[in-house]
Amino acid sequence: MEDKNLIMNTYVFEELMKQGQFQIEWLEKIKNLGIQTVEIRREYLRDTEELTKLKEKAEELDMTLFFAVPDVLFPGVLMSKETLRQYFEEYSTLGAKQFKIVAGYDEDLNDVDIEILKSLMTEYGILHLTLENDQEDYSTPEKIKGILGKLKDAGINAGMTFDTGNFLATGQSPLESAKALKDDVTFIHMKNIKTDTKEMTLIDEGDINMFDLLAVFSEDVKRAIEYPCGDNPFETVKGEIEKLKKK
């Protein structure tokens, strides 16, 4: 795997976050690991001023930022326009190059909602929207394909963030889900888990054969390490990167 397609999600540094550190403190150390792109987690932001500081630091380091929002785009109908506008404004302030949000339900998705979404994406210069599967009953390959199909039919450049662990957590086969969705997937959240406890593990220690799963997708699809790496995360994630390079 080429380093340009390996992304770091800041979930890796959960323990450091609990200790009071800020996401900006990790950027240079991440770059020193050979990673050029970092996915910033919205829930780790303590105030909106961090967005500008992160943008400036990323520019200084010549790094790219993605933005991950832990909310559901279609909780029924489209989420409130005001909330979505706020998220897009934050994305813009961050200078991010990708916007990720949970997909949600497709049953009540309508033309008015789609036009609102399309208009806001145009206003904020969001060229690509990536929707993630969650640990809820709406996160099946069929339902995600339904949402993406409607958005694409309306001219929205939308793809899927394939979260490997979330499919297993909802009793679905990650491998079969990957085969069903591979043409829609534009980003991967790599996490392994134990089926019985839903506990997240290192890349090769859970019940998902991660390397067989990744082989379903083109190597051009960007993939993020997205699981906590303990009290010494930089050393641990360095080992995880080496495992991925050897696959």
Side-chain angles (χ1 to χ4, degrees):
M1 181 190 304
E2 294 187 20
D3 285 350
K4 68 178 183 179
N5 289 326
L6 184 58
I7 314 301
M8 192 76 70
N9 181 290
T10 55
Y11 196 16
V12 166
F13 310 106
E14 181 185 44
E15 290 303 316
L16 300 184
M17 184 68 190
K18 291 177 181 177
Q19 295 169 21
Q21 293 190 22
F22 291 77
Q23 292 179 95
I24 194 170
E25 298 179 58
W26 311 328
L27 294 188
E28 189 165 1
K29 293 179 182 179
I30 292 171
K31 181 166 185 177
N32 290 339
L33 292 171
I35 304 297
Q36 298 297 317
T37 302
V38 178
E39 188 173 32
I40 298 298
R41 297 180 75 90
R42 184 181 189 271
E43 69 269 32
Y44 282 5
L45 297 170
R46 293 190 176 89
D47 57 58
T48 56
E49 292 181 2
E50 282 188 70
L51 295 165
T52 300
K53 293 176 182 177
L54 281 162
K55 178 183 179 180
E56 292 172 350
K57 187 65 175 179
E59 290 174 346
E60 175 190 326
L61 295 170
D62 194 24
M63 297 180 76
T64 300
L65 300 181
F66 289 174
F67 192 41
V69 174
D71 205 347
V72 179
L73 184 62
F74 298 108
V77 295
L78 181 69
M79 66 163 50
S80 80
K81 184 176 179 180
E82 292 74 21
T83 300
L84 188 56
R85 181 181 291 278
Q86 177 185 342
Y87 293 156
F88 284 179
E89 285 180 352
E90 292 169 353
Y91 163 94
S92 179
T93 302
L94 182 63
K97 303 301 182 185
Q98 176 172 285
F99 183 92
K100 191 280 306 178
I101 194 167
V102 174
Y105 296 90
D106 72 331
E107 288 84 354
D108 297 320
L109 183 54
N110 57 72
D111 292 343
V112 173
D113 285 342
I114 290 174
E115 284 305 311
I116 290 172
L117 174 61
K118 189 175 181 180
S119 175
L120 285 173
M121 287 180 64
T122 300
E123 181 179 345
Y124 287 96
I126 296 177
L127 302 178
H128 176 71
L129 181 70
T130 177
L131 305 181
E132 185 179 28
N133 57 302
D134 200 3
Q135 294 187 15
E136 300 292 343
D137 60 1
Y138 51 68
S139 287
T140 67
E142 296 77 18
K143 291 181 179 180
I144 292 168
K145 271 185 169 292
I147 291 176
L148 291 174
K150 291 174 183 177
L151 297 182
K152 290 176 181 178
D153 286 347
I156 292 176
N157 182 6
M160 182 192 177
T161 292
F162 187 100
D163 188 297
T164 60
N166 285 350
F167 276 114
L168 189 59
T170 52
Q172 302 173 85
S173 164
L175 185 59
E176 293 306 311
S177 298
K179 291 175 181 177
L181 289 161
K182 65 178 182 179
D183 293 334
D184 297 300
V185 173
T186 54
F187 192 48
I188 302 168
H189 273 172
M190 297 182 291
K191 65 164 65 83
N192 213 333
I193 68 171
K194 294 180 179 178
T195 306
D196 54 349
T197 63
K198 305 297 188 294
E199 176 188 358
M200 283 180 282
T201 71
L202 298 181
I203 198 79
D204 55 350
E205 295 181 3
D207 291 323
I208 300 171
N209 188 321
M210 190 63 67
F211 302 115
D212 284 353
L213 179 61
L214 293 176
V216 173
F217 304 104
S218 164
E219 289 204 358
D220 291 334
V221 177
K222 296 186 185 299
R223 52 209 73 189
I225 298 174
E226 199 231 6
Y227 45 90
C229 285
D231 294 327
N232 190 10
F234 284 100
E235 191 61 33
T236 300
V237 82
K238 182 178 179 180
E240 297 296 273
I241 292 169
E242 290 304 314
K243 293 175 189 176
L244 290 163
K245 285 181 179 179
K246 292 176 182 178
K247 82 171 185 72

